Amino acid sequence: MNRVTVDLEALRQNLETIGDWMRAHGATWSVVTKVLCGHAETLEALQILGVRSIADSRLRNLRAIERIIPSFESWYLRPPHPSIIPEVVELADVSLNSEIRIIERLNEEAARLDKIHRIVIMIELGDLREGILPGSLVDFYQKVFELPNITVLGIGANLGCLAGAVPDIDQYMQLVLYRELLELKFGRQLQLISAGSSVVLPLVLKNELPKSINHFRIGESLFLGSDLVGGGTLPGLRNDVILLEAEIAEIKEKSLVPTTETAGIQPFEMNGDSQHKPGDRGYRALVTVGQLETAVEGLTPVREDYRIAGASSDITVVNLGDNPEGLHVGDTIAFRVDYAALLGLMNSPYVDKRVVPPLQDLRDAGPRDPGAGVDPVFSDLDGDGTERGE
């Protein structure tokens, strides 16, 4: 059986550690769950572990979360497009925006439902993803502040999410200055600068990030422990929350280098195990996970002397050397995953998912305090004096 396992004890430790960092920084944070693709058991585990502020980029996932967690603060992360405006206002307490026409539509829908919809205005700071240009900031806000059913929580940015540029302090200081400018110009307080993500955590640990950056959207480092700047794992976090176990369908001693002429016609290009020369032999295992299930280049065997040789849509080939574990057909090989591989696996209907220990064990242990910041940023979740679920 091919299976992804979510270790809830490791997840709890990462939640508590990041919560401690947020508390020390004086910030709130939302758990980004889009990589879970609506996996019910893991979402329920997050609820048991105390998470109440959740951010996702798929409305279907937010609807699934709403069924599992009776009262939570929902953030919609992807820039809304016109056809989904009614669902965004229905399902999301907060959305991230950069188009005035979209915000006007959100205002109209919120008025129709007699609600207040909260937004964060995204500003372009060099990653060339979403965001208004700083030069249009004042005019943009002038229009937004006139909308009666829209509340502007603050400003935000996405850095290190598309172009791969490493965020620097100057970019964050720009956001601090923009907030000061807007507050002085319009006489209104902006509660948040939502510009923290997993890529920013190294700056938090070094105490270099301005305290005014006071809201974080954290997913990858929570689930994988990743240090997105320096590589490896952030100190204090665990990288074993997620494990893939793939079943062996064939294992044989073979040549490690093709014995016929190659023409580069493989359908999936990847940097496989290429350290061998003609004549080298060793054990090769075929596991029944391929590019159809995940981005195989994002898999790393837990055992360091195993190497992925290549993959097709259905099969991944792993070089085992002299097979030190004595593996046989039906045994499994364990893999760590990167973000792209995890996203593929959780979205695949062909791979089983489970949590350990069972959820009932987590319930029996009682509520946990995962640290400051996973509580809602605001308490009035529906904008009408009641929280969702009441």
Side-chain angles (χ1 to χ4, degrees):
M1 177 184 295
N2 302 320
R3 181 168 58 198
V4 172
T5 298
V6 182
D7 186 323
L8 299 183
E9 177 59 25
L11 179 60
R12 180 190 64 79
Q13 290 185 34
N14 283 0
L15 270 171
E16 291 180 349
T17 298
I18 296 173
D20 289 342
W21 296 344
M22 296 297 102
R23 181 186 294 111
H25 189 73
T28 57
W29 65 298
S30 301
V31 172
V32 177
T33 57
K34 57 186 175 182
V35 77
L36 299 179
C37 299
H39 184 241
E41 285 189 303
T42 308
L43 291 170
E44 186 173 349
L46 289 173
Q47 181 209 13
I48 296 169
L49 292 170
V51 173
R52 295 294 181 271
S53 183
I54 294 179
D56 209 296
S57 59
R58 299 294 188 275
L59 292 169
R60 179 179 297 180
N61 293 347
L62 288 179
R63 198 174 292 280
I65 296 166
E66 189 174 48
R67 290 194 296 267
I68 296 164
I69 302 177
S71 181
F72 74 104
E73 176 185 273
S74 57
W75 289 60
Y76 182 65
L77 297 180
R78 191 159 58 172
H81 50 280
S83 62
I84 64 167
I85 294 298
E87 286 185 280
V88 171
V89 176
E90 174 197 355
L91 294 171
D93 301 304
V94 187
S95 60
L96 311 185
N97 288 271
S98 56
E99 285 285 351
I100 187 62
R101 291 183 180 179
I102 294 294
I103 300 172
E104 289 170 345
R105 292 280 301 276
L106 291 168
N107 176 70
E108 292 169 3
E109 182 64 21
R112 189 182 71 83
L113 297 177
D114 194 24
K115 295 178 67 173
I116 298 295
H117 185 71
R118 298 167 177 85
I119 66 172
V120 170
I121 303 299
M122 304 299 284
I123 300 175
E124 169 57 53
L125 291 181
D127 200 51
L128 303 180
R129 213 176 83 155
E130 78 268 34
I132 66 173
L133 297 177
S136 62
L137 194 59
V138 171
D139 290 342
F140 193 95
Y141 264 83
Q142 179 70 59
K143 297 174 182 177
V144 173
F145 279 143
E146 294 172 353
L147 301 175
N149 289 80
I150 294 293
T151 292
V152 181
L153 283 181
I155 59 177
N158 269 313
L159 296 168
C161 293
L162 179 66
V166 177
D168 60 43
I169 299 301
D170 289 342
Q171 291 171 304
Y172 293 107
M173 288 307 302
Q174 288 179 51
L175 285 175
V176 175
L177 293 174
Y178 293 147
R179 181 170 77 169
E180 292 177 356
L181 169 65
L182 292 170
E183 289 182 338
L184 288 172
K185 174 71 175 178
F186 296 102
R188 300 193 188 188
Q189 183 179 3
L190 297 177
Q191 182 180 349
L192 300 179
I193 300 181
S194 179
S197 64
S198 292
V199 76
V200 188
L201 290 178
L203 295 178
V204 174
L205 294 181
K206 295 176 184 176
N207 201 28
E208 295 178 355
L209 192 71
K211 297 290 187 181
S212 296
I213 309 299
N214 60 355
H215 180 259
F216 289 70
R217 309 180 303 270
I218 305 293
E220 183 167 352
S221 292
L222 171 63
F223 294 110
L224 300 177
S226 307
D227 181 343
L228 299 182
V229 176
T233 304
L234 286 168
L237 296 187
R238 293 179 57 168
N239 68 353
D240 59 345
V241 175
I242 308 292
L243 189 73
L244 168 67
E245 298 169 281
E247 191 170 5
I248 297 173
E250 175 190 297
I251 184 167
K252 287 181 171 59
E253 187 179 11
K254 297 183 179 182
S255 173
L256 300 179
V257 177
T259 56
T260 59
E261 183 178 352
T262 59
I265 58 174
Q266 64 269 29
F268 301 99
E269 294 185 11
M270 61 178 295
N271 296 320
D273 186 7
S274 59
Q275 60 184 346
H276 303 288
K277 57 184 183 296
D280 287 349
R281 294 181 64 82
Y283 283 89
R284 290 164 72 92
L286 275 61
V287 297
T288 52
V289 169
Q291 300 286 6
L292 185 61
E293 285 81 17
T294 190
V296 174
E297 58 271 22
L299 302 180
T300 303
V302 171
R303 189 174 173 108
E304 294 182 357
D305 51 346
Y306 291 172
R307 297 284 187 274
I308 293 179
S312 68
S313 59
D314 307 311
I315 293 291
T316 296
V317 180
V318 184
N319 288 338
L320 306 180
D322 59 0
N323 190 16
E325 295 182 290
L327 296 176
H328 298 87
V329 169
D331 292 334
T332 60
I333 297 175
F335 299 86
R336 301 270 182 252
V337 300
D338 69 6
Y339 191 81
L342 176 57
L343 187 63
L345 290 166
M346 296 303 292
N347 196 42
S348 173
Y350 306 114
V351 180
D352 287 339
K353 295 93 178 173
R354 68 165 184 171
V355 298
V356 293
L359 281 177
Q360 189 57 49
D361 291 1
L362 205 63
R363 296 188 194 100
D364 292 343
R368 310 282 185 95
D369 176 12
V374 293
D375 285 331
V377 173
F378 47 86
S379 59
D380 178 10
L381 295 186
D382 280 335
D384 59 0
T386 61
E387 294 190 1
R388 186 188 299 119
E390 289 189 350

